[in-house]
Amino acid sequence: MLRASRARDETSLVEARVVSPYPPRDPRDPRWSVNNFNKETLLCARHCGELLAQWGRGRSLSSLETLTSVTMRPQVSVLLLIWLGVLGCVGAEFFTSIGHMTDLIYAEKDLVKSLKEYILAEEAKLAQIKSWATKMEALTSKSTADPEGYLAHPVNAYKLVKRLNTDWPALEDLVLQDSAAGFIGNLSVQRQFFPTDEDETGAAKALMRLQDTYKLDPDTISKGALPGTKYQATLSVDDCFGMGRLAYNEGDYYHTVLWMEQVLKQLDAGEEATVAKAQVLDYLSYAVFQLGDLPRALELTRRLLSLDPSHERAGGNLRYFEHLLEEERQQTLPNQTTEAEPAAQDGIYERPADYLPERDIYEGLCRGEGVKLTPRRQKRLFCRYHHGHGTPQLLIAPFKEEDEWDSPHIVRYYDVMSDEEIERIKELAKPKLARATVRDPKTGILTVASYRVSKSSWLEEDDDPVVAQVNRRMQHITGLTVQTAELLQVANYGMGGQYEPHFDFSRRPFDSGLKTEGNRLATFLNYMSDVEAGGATVFPDLGAAIWPKKGTAVFWYNLLRSGEGDYRTRHAACPVLVGCKWVSNKWFHERGQEFLRPCGSTEVD
């Protein structure tokens, strides 16, 4: 395995090693750590909030008292104060929730307003200076034509002295006044709640996740040609370069190659950019070398040197690549019949395997491929009115029930939540949203994970009558009691938001809740939004895909009647390609359901 390190002696091909253009950042390096909201930051934010509140009430701030009438009087909108208050509660990780990212839209609008006020103040100041200059130009052209005659008039003599002693110093003060203070103050306060490096990295990884899951090439993403979109959005050359560089910093050479090739494509098409082609080739040649494509790495390095012959690192790499190729030729000469497999077919590299064994099946279902809903199975699926096992409330107004899968039985209910209820639930949940966690299988400790990208919150019945109303409705529909169920969980998915294949029931004997409440018997999942593209709930072992429909809900049992887990219910939430996905769910536990869902006579009932 070749190791990336600096060549010790460029003249020694034996000891030379290929040099990376820029060392990937080490996540263990404290310089790259994410600045979490520590106590000092929160105190600072609180202090800024108090100052802004004073500012909004019209009280002056000493640092801004020097502004004159031509400068902008800084104003902070009530919207900004509310926004700062919300963000102070929820923290960062915006990319994990589209609902929270909407706050950034309003923050940016406020900054644009502040910037325009600054521009107006600067224009007013320049207009005043320009008027003064015009006036002085006319006056000096007259006075210099006949200085003694001009000063013979005592008023002119007085005004000359006054101008030089008073008016010109006043103009100097005007020129030196900082009209940007209000805008900079506004920006500085808001910047504490801006997305972090972690957000930018998470957002870029989300685009790459969508690229992989839905088999989108970088050109499609760069042009913004996504299904179901209402707005046009494109990536510039520099945006694409940022994607490739971020992948490189993460040691992801597969995506580095894809995005650097897109950069070259857009540069060749004549797009303007700040990044130079030589810099792109520097990254690209090293990335393809890491993927094992030595001939192409050599070709790209030669292209780089043709653009920048003095590139010292590229020169060393070129000699090293040539040395490696010569070694390969000598090794293949004695065995002419042995043909090594190429690293790539037509410049297309194979995506590296990862930790998820059913990755291909899972992503295929997300694209609508591989669904095993055969005609024979489809004949077993029906629609009906559901009376809730004789529940009085449902005898008069039954719910529409549709079979989504026969075994295990997965059903969908229609018109479970009204638009008004959905909006109220979202309104209650949004201030409480926090990064969704998973339980570490080794330690049992809750932690965040890259395979679950969303924010969630938990609502109690005491929070609002709507919560209690929705809980009762789920109890009536399922015939199960909510007394031992978990709180209503509300989740909002972010950019490329997903939850990779998992079980809802616990397989860990150390879970404390198992002894008192039992395992998660069943899942009731409410879809609280439509999703333009992506976002399906899929069951890889079944080959089933269920697409979100606002106001509907799906229900299934996680446990067999014996109490054993039904491993066929392993499911996933596919990445959201276009749209904003909101769901809520209720997990019913075993305790209290003994007579509502009796045990079966065998282990597989």
Side-chain angles (χ1 to χ4, degrees):
M1 186 74 180
L2 294 172
R3 195 162 54 104
S5 60
R6 184 170 297 279
R8 283 178 264 172
D9 181 3
E10 291 187 1
T11 61
S12 173
L13 294 177
V14 176
E15 293 186 0
R17 291 292 183 270
V18 66
V19 181
S20 163
Y22 304 95
R25 66 185 187 188
D26 186 351
R28 296 168 294 182
D29 189 335
R31 293 175 300 171
W32 295 105
S33 62
V34 178
N35 293 322
N36 294 321
F37 285 86
N38 54 27
K39 189 178 296 183
E40 290 78 7
T41 306
L42 290 173
L43 288 174
C44 177
R46 187 181 303 166
H47 177 63
C48 290
E50 293 171 355
L51 289 177
L52 288 172
Q54 295 175 11
W55 201 350
R57 290 193 294 268
R59 293 173 58 182
S60 62
L61 300 178
S62 59
S63 61
L64 302 173
E65 287 176 348
T66 58
L67 296 177
T68 65
S69 60
V70 297
T71 61
M72 175 181 62
R73 176 179 175 84
Q75 297 292 333
V76 177
S77 65
V78 175
L79 174 64
L80 170 61
L81 294 175
I82 296 173
W83 178 76
L84 291 174
V86 171
L87 295 189
C89 298
V90 303
E93 295 189 324
F94 289 100
F95 74 97
T96 63
S97 169
I98 293 295
H100 273 161
M101 288 185 72
T102 57
D103 296 326
L104 298 178
I105 296 291
Y106 297 108
E108 189 170 44
K109 181 179 180 181
D110 187 87
L111 285 175
V112 170
K113 179 183 177 183
S114 181
L115 179 61
K116 291 178 72 175
E117 289 173 351
Y118 158 65
I119 292 171
L120 289 174
E122 283 287 349
E123 288 176 342
K125 185 171 79 171
L126 287 173
Q128 188 169 340
I129 295 171
K130 185 177 180 180
S131 174
W132 172 263
T134 302
K135 179 181 176 182
M136 288 299 101
E137 184 180 27
L139 190 149
T140 53
S141 62
K142 184 188 298 184
S143 63
T144 53
D146 181 15
E148 289 188 2
Y150 179 82
L151 292 174
H153 196 299
V155 173
N156 284 341
Y158 163 74
K159 291 182 69 175
L160 174 63
V161 172
K162 178 179 177 295
R163 281 197 305 274
L164 293 175
N165 182 62
T166 303
D167 295 347
W168 279 102
L171 179 68
E172 179 185 21
D173 291 340
L174 176 63
V175 172
L176 292 175
Q177 285 168 359
D178 186 7
S179 304
F183 170 69
I184 296 301
N186 190 356
L187 179 62
S188 298
V189 172
Q190 294 202 44
R191 191 162 48 204
Q192 299 176 73
F193 306 97
F194 276 9
T196 63
D197 287 344
E198 181 186 6
D199 284 296
E200 186 173 349
T201 299
K205 285 184 176 180
L207 280 181
M208 295 176 199
R209 184 184 311 121
L210 296 173
Q211 174 184 352
D212 294 338
T213 303
Y214 298 103
K215 290 188 175 181
L216 305 172
D217 58 75
D219 190 56
T220 299
I221 297 176
S222 178
K223 292 178 179 177
L226 302 179
T229 53
K230 293 189 294 184
Y231 303 98
Q232 183 67 25
T234 59
L235 293 177
S236 67
V237 174
D238 294 317
D239 291 333
C240 293
F241 179 74
M243 291 284 292
R245 183 172 54 187
L246 184 139
Y248 172 87
N249 287 335
E250 296 290 321
D252 179 1
Y253 300 112
Y254 170 74
H255 286 105
T256 302
V257 170
L258 292 176
W259 283 100
M260 289 303 176
E261 287 177 338
Q262 179 64 25
V263 174
L264 290 179
K265 181 178 180 180
Q266 293 183 213
L267 283 174
D268 291 340
E271 289 189 32
E272 295 184 359
T274 58
V275 62
K277 185 176 289 188
Q279 190 178 4
V280 180
L281 291 170
D282 199 6
Y283 278 97
L284 186 56
S285 61
Y286 183 77
V288 298
F289 168 72
Q290 288 294 325
L291 293 178
D293 193 349
L294 189 56
R296 189 160 181 238
L298 180 62
E299 175 205 342
L300 292 168
T301 305
R302 285 173 176 160
R303 285 179 60 188
L304 168 57
L305 286 169
S306 69
L307 295 174
D308 185 3
S310 62
H311 201 294
E312 184 179 352
R313 182 175 56 252
N317 287 349
L318 178 67
R319 291 189 292 274
Y320 181 58
F321 293 154
E322 290 173 339
H323 170 69
L324 289 179
L325 277 175
E326 183 60 30
E327 281 188 344
E328 286 186 3
R329 289 193 193 98
Q330 292 176 359
Q331 290 173 1
T332 55
L333 282 176
N335 304 307
Q336 295 291 344
T337 56
T338 305
E339 294 185 4
E341 293 185 5
Q345 295 287 344
D346 298 326
I348 300 174
Y349 300 91
E350 186 177 349
R351 181 179 164 195
D354 65 2
Y355 55 86
L356 192 63
E358 67 263 60
R359 172 73 64 188
D360 291 341
I361 298 174
Y362 156 55
E363 293 184 348
L365 288 170
C366 291
R367 297 189 296 270
E369 303 168 2
V371 178
K372 299 177 181 177
L373 191 60
T374 61
R376 182 177 179 181
R377 168 166 271 131
Q378 201 160 8
K379 289 180 180 179
R380 305 174 191 163
L381 307 181
F382 299 94
C383 298
R384 65 189 72 83
Y385 282 105
H386 178 69
H387 296 89
H389 312 286
T391 304
Q393 291 85 346
L394 270 62
L395 288 175
I396 300 174
F399 281 94
K400 289 177 284 187
E401 180 185 77
E402 178 184 11
D403 293 330
E404 289 282 357
W405 207 257
D406 57 341
S407 181
H409 196 203
I410 304 173
V411 296
R412 186 195 294 265
Y413 298 102
Y414 287 82
D415 302 321
V416 174
M417 295 178 68
S418 66
D419 289 347
E420 292 75 16
E421 290 173 328
I422 288 173
E423 290 306 312
R424 182 55 181 158
I425 293 291
K426 288 164 61 175
E427 183 182 346
L428 293 168
K430 192 171 180 180
K432 300 180 180 181
L433 287 175
R435 178 72 184 268
T437 57
V438 296
R439 196 173 294 278
D440 189 298
K442 295 181 179 178
T443 64
I445 298 174
L446 291 174
T447 182
V448 297
S450 61
Y451 55 83
R452 188 179 189 185
V453 181
S454 65
K455 284 187 175 180
S456 62
S457 63
W458 301 85
L459 301 182
E460 302 184 41
E461 291 195 355
D462 293 340
D463 290 338
D464 194 273
V466 170
V467 179
Q469 183 175 307
V470 170
N471 282 344
R472 284 194 304 271
R473 190 174 302 143
M474 289 186 286
Q475 177 172 283
H476 295 155
I477 292 174
T478 62
L480 302 174
T481 178
V482 296
Q483 296 303 313
T484 56
E486 297 180 38
L487 299 178
L488 183 67
Q489 180 181 226
V490 181
N492 177 227
Y493 290 82
M495 285 189 60
Q498 63 163 0
Y499 193 177
E500 290 182 354
H502 62 281
F503 299 101
D504 278 353
F505 63 86
S506 174
R507 297 172 294 149
R508 298 174 293 270
F510 53 75
D511 278 358
S512 57
L514 293 179
K515 297 179 180 178
T516 56
E517 299 171 352
N519 214 330
R520 286 174 174 170
L521 173 67
T523 297
F524 196 100
L525 178 63
N526 297 295
Y527 293 116
M528 301 200 303
S529 65
D530 292 314
V531 180
E532 286 81 352
T537 304
V538 298
F539 294 75
D541 292 345
L542 303 177
I546 300 172
W547 303 94
K549 294 179 183 177
K550 185 178 181 181
T552 70
V554 292
F555 174 79
W556 68 86
Y557 282 102
N558 298 304
L559 304 181
L560 301 170
R561 286 187 177 272
S562 63
E564 295 295 323
D566 189 343
Y567 285 80
R568 299 173 299 172
T569 61
R570 181 172 168 84
H571 60 285
C574 293
V576 177
L577 178 57
V578 178
C580 181
K581 182 181 177 182
W582 284 88
V583 299
S584 61
N585 68 277
K586 174 72 72 173
W587 280 308
F588 293 89
H589 281 250
E590 291 179 282
R591 300 294 176 263
Q593 321 293 353
E594 291 83 356
F595 298 102
L596 301 175
R597 198 215 187 200
C599 293
S601 56
T602 68
E603 289 187 2
V604 295
D605 284 350

